[in-house]
Amino acid sequence: SIGSELCRQILEFSPKRVVAVDVSESGLYEFQAHLSLQGKSDRLRIRVADVKDENEMAELFDKHRPNVVFHAAAYKHVPLMEEHPRFALLTNVFGTLSVGRAASAVGAERFVFISTDKAVSPSSVMGATKMLGEKVVAALAAEVEHTHFTAVRFGNVLASRGSVAPLFERQIKSGGPVTITHPEMTRFFMTLPEAVRLVIQAAALTGGGDLFMLDMGERIRILHLAERMIRLRGLRPEVDIPIVFTGLRPGEKLHEQLLDTQERREPTQHPRVYRVLDQRAAAPVEKLAELTDWLHGMQHLPEAELAATLRQYTQ
């Protein structure tokens, strides 16, 4: 969802070319068909490719030689990644390393990694791999001068794939029940176009080595969101549409946060984009070689041991 919206908005700036890369052929086909109907696909190129394949990424980048790279490819469903930690590690971490190296090799000007609030003090495999993705980007930034590597961290995006809002809409339309994991659960929310506009702004602001966070406003209780959506349909919560609490799923938190206890934010030129700074007296960026050696040592661990190691690393 974020990748396709990035393409839509960037095409409005009349670039020479936008290359949309995804492992999902159906997603790319539907996206290209949608833009074709609007007469906006003449500058768009699509490519079915896997970010985990370093050779494929190198060939792709050598062919197109992009100036700016937005890396949004990731597995993001928390409970599923608890059961499939190897896929999370390979795509979210090694995929980031693969694309970052390919961007550097062709002299890309900027590389923007899409991160998440789940990378902050992560309680899940998915969050841990996104935290490691941030570390990979920081390590690349420390060793590569000609490409400005940066990461942008934000919370839930309404109407994106996997978002709770489309699920609630389907449940309400079918007559309920609406399922919520916990009555006190909260999340940060932002609309898809708004989030992408701010990501593009952050890309323009970076001088390399930055971690940005977007101003998401106040946390919203998921229960209140569900009740509001029910009422917008002219229905009554718990009368016309039942609400059922199912319990927290593996890896889920009641409340997410955009900063951990050792981080602080500072303003940038844009009022809704903040730079994240580590407050620890000595917080050196991990050497890329040391980080990749450790990652390669993990990828062949049994699934249960791999998941445990990821959680231990983040604590």
Side-chain angles (χ1 to χ4, degrees):
S1 307
I2 291 168
S4 58
E5 180 64 19
L6 276 163
C7 290
R8 288 189 192 96
Q9 292 196 25
I10 291 167
L11 284 166
E12 296 297 324
F13 293 97
S14 299
K16 180 179 179 181
R17 186 185 311 120
V18 171
V19 184
V21 184
D22 202 318
V23 75
S24 167
E25 64 168 358
S26 59
L28 283 174
Y29 174 80
E30 291 168 7
F31 177 60
Q32 185 182 42
H34 176 72
L35 287 184
S36 294
L37 286 173
Q38 298 180 336
K40 297 180 178 180
S41 63
D42 57 318
R43 298 176 188 267
L44 178 71
R45 304 291 181 271
I46 62 170
R47 172 73 179 262
V48 178
D50 189 341
V51 296
K52 300 189 297 296
D53 189 325
E54 286 199 59
N55 292 331
E56 189 171 31
M57 287 298 104
E59 183 272 329
L60 171 69
F61 274 67
D62 187 59
K63 177 180 178 179
H64 293 286
R65 309 192 75 82
N67 300 103
V68 184
V69 180
F70 292 92
H71 178 52
Y75 283 120
K76 62 182 182 180
H77 292 279
V78 170
L80 277 176
M81 292 306 102
E82 290 297 302
E83 298 178 12
H84 303 90
R86 192 176 320 284
F87 284 95
L89 177 70
L90 291 175
T91 296
N92 296 1
V93 186
F94 282 101
T96 301
L97 180 62
S98 170
V99 179
R101 282 174 165 166
S104 171
V106 299
E109 179 188 331
R110 295 165 194 269
F111 177 100
V112 182
F113 172 69
I114 304 299
S115 191
T116 169
D117 53 3
K118 293 174 180 62
V120 180
S121 302
S123 61
S124 65
V125 165
M126 181 273 191
T129 57
K130 293 298 282 187
M131 176 197 220
L132 284 165
E134 289 185 358
K135 290 182 177 292
V136 165
V137 171
L140 285 165
E143 296 189 16
V144 179
E145 293 185 0
H146 56 266
T147 300
H148 294 334
F149 284 92
T150 189
V152 184
R153 184 192 289 171
F154 52 97
N156 291 34
V157 175
L158 289 167
S160 66
R161 289 184 180 178
S163 170
V164 72
L167 172 62
F168 286 170
E169 286 180 0
R170 292 193 297 270
Q171 291 175 334
I172 295 166
K173 187 176 181 179
S174 65
V178 169
T179 56
I180 301 172
T181 54
H182 195 283
E184 299 301 321
M185 177 173 277
T186 64
R187 288 294 183 268
F188 293 105
F189 284 102
M190 181 177 283
T191 66
L192 181 57
E194 182 180 26
V196 166
R197 279 197 299 271
L198 293 177
V199 167
I200 294 172
Q201 183 65 57
L205 289 172
T206 187
D210 292 305
L211 170 59
F212 293 108
M213 59 165 278
L214 305 185
D215 182 358
M216 303 287 295
E218 298 297 322
R219 292 188 187 95
I220 296 174
R221 281 182 67 184
I222 302 297
L223 174 59
H224 290 171
L225 174 65
E227 291 173 337
R228 197 174 307 164
M229 291 179 67
I230 292 169
R231 292 191 180 100
L232 284 171
R233 288 284 190 121
L235 302 169
R236 296 165 295 175
E238 299 287 19
V239 177
D240 302 307
I241 301 292
I243 296 175
V244 174
F245 298 105
T246 58
L248 289 177
R249 298 174 297 177
E252 281 190 323
K253 293 180 182 177
L254 267 183
H255 312 290
E256 298 288 357
Q257 58 198 68
L258 287 162
L259 293 169
D260 76 15
T261 55
Q262 300 298 322
E263 294 175 333
R264 66 178 177 87
R265 70 180 194 180
E266 70 170 20
T268 66
Q269 296 95 311
H270 195 285
R272 298 197 62 191
V273 179
Y274 292 88
R275 185 173 283 104
V276 177
L277 301 177
D278 197 315
Q279 296 187 105
R280 284 168 287 200
V285 173
E286 292 186 56
K287 296 289 186 182
L288 184 60
E290 295 173 2
L291 182 58
T292 53
D293 284 347
W294 180 77
L295 290 169
H296 282 295
M298 282 211 307
Q299 65 177 325
H300 300 297
L301 294 175
E303 294 271 276
E305 188 177 347
L306 173 57
T309 304
L310 284 168
R311 293 191 190 95
Q312 183 181 9
Y313 177 80
T314 61
Q315 293 173 358

